[in-house]
Amino acid sequence: MSELRRVVQRGLWYEEFETDVLYEHRPGRTITEADNVLFTTMTMNTQALHLDAAFAETQEPFQQRLVNSMFTVSTLIGLSITQLTQGTLVGNLGFSEIAFPKPLFHGDTLYAETVVTEKRESKSRPGEGIVTLAHTGRNQHGDVVVTAIRKTLVRKRPS
């Protein structure tokens, strides 16, 4: 029997990123009450809108607990990792233009997509490039619940 060729799951090398492509990240992630409470308490966020169901039910306009927005943006980025930057990322350089147009609730499913808006070779770090990613998160109804721009430093393909 001949030896099998191995394929290791990874993100994209700098050269493989394409602008004007919509990268859809699947599967999505259904957000549970446990996810929200654990993240909120682990990060010392005492906001009652995340933790106190009785209080949240009295608050207009949603009258229910909201998923912590920091969990929402973290999950958005996390959903993109396997397809885009797993093992090829040097580091995040910054986040900007983070917005939460609609809330996320317990039981909602978050789906992520990304567009590469810019890429250039690093001037100071040979073998690496800077890739700017526009991430969008949608709930199961297609409503945009989070957007974020992320600037990353990514490795070039090894020679």
Side-chain angles (χ1 to χ4, degrees):
M1 181 177 187
S2 65
E3 188 169 328
L4 297 175
R5 183 173 70 88
R6 292 180 182 261
V7 175
V8 177
Q9 183 174 327
R10 63 162 172 83
L12 303 176
W13 302 113
Y14 170 79
E15 295 86 351
E16 295 174 305
F17 279 95
E18 298 180 55
T19 56
D20 302 321
V21 170
L22 178 68
Y23 295 91
E24 293 183 342
H25 313 300
R26 298 296 183 266
R29 175 71 156 74
T30 301
I31 310 303
T32 68
E33 176 183 12
D35 295 327
N36 191 39
V37 171
L38 178 62
F39 182 89
T40 299
T41 56
M42 283 177 56
T43 57
M44 303 296 289
N45 182 336
T46 59
Q47 177 53 254
L49 286 173
H50 305 313
L51 298 173
D52 186 333
F55 170 79
E57 288 171 4
T58 69
Q59 302 302 299
E60 295 289 338
F62 305 114
Q63 296 181 293
Q64 62 181 305
R65 283 176 289 170
L66 305 177
V67 172
N68 185 316
S69 59
M70 294 297 100
F71 179 77
T72 302
V73 74
S74 293
T75 305
L76 169 68
I77 302 306
L79 287 167
S80 76
I81 300 303
T82 302
Q83 188 176 15
L84 297 181
T85 61
Q86 179 68 46
T88 59
L89 181 79
V90 177
N92 289 315
L93 301 176
F95 290 85
S96 63
E97 300 179 45
I98 297 171
F100 305 97
K102 290 194 173 190
L104 203 57
F105 302 108
H106 299 160
D108 282 348
T109 301
L110 181 63
Y111 294 97
E113 58 195 45
T114 302
V115 173
V116 177
T117 59
E118 183 181 357
K119 64 183 262 191
R120 68 172 179 83
E121 293 185 18
S122 173
K123 294 176 182 134
S124 61
R125 297 178 63 112
E128 297 169 0
I130 297 169
V131 179
T132 304
L133 306 167
H135 298 287
T136 301
R138 299 176 187 275
N139 66 14
Q140 68 275 14
H141 306 295
D143 300 325
V144 175
V145 296
V146 59
T147 58
I149 304 298
R150 177 169 66 129
K151 196 167 287 236
T152 61
L153 188 62
V154 179
R155 290 181 176 87
K156 290 184 175 181
R157 182 187 311 276
S159 41

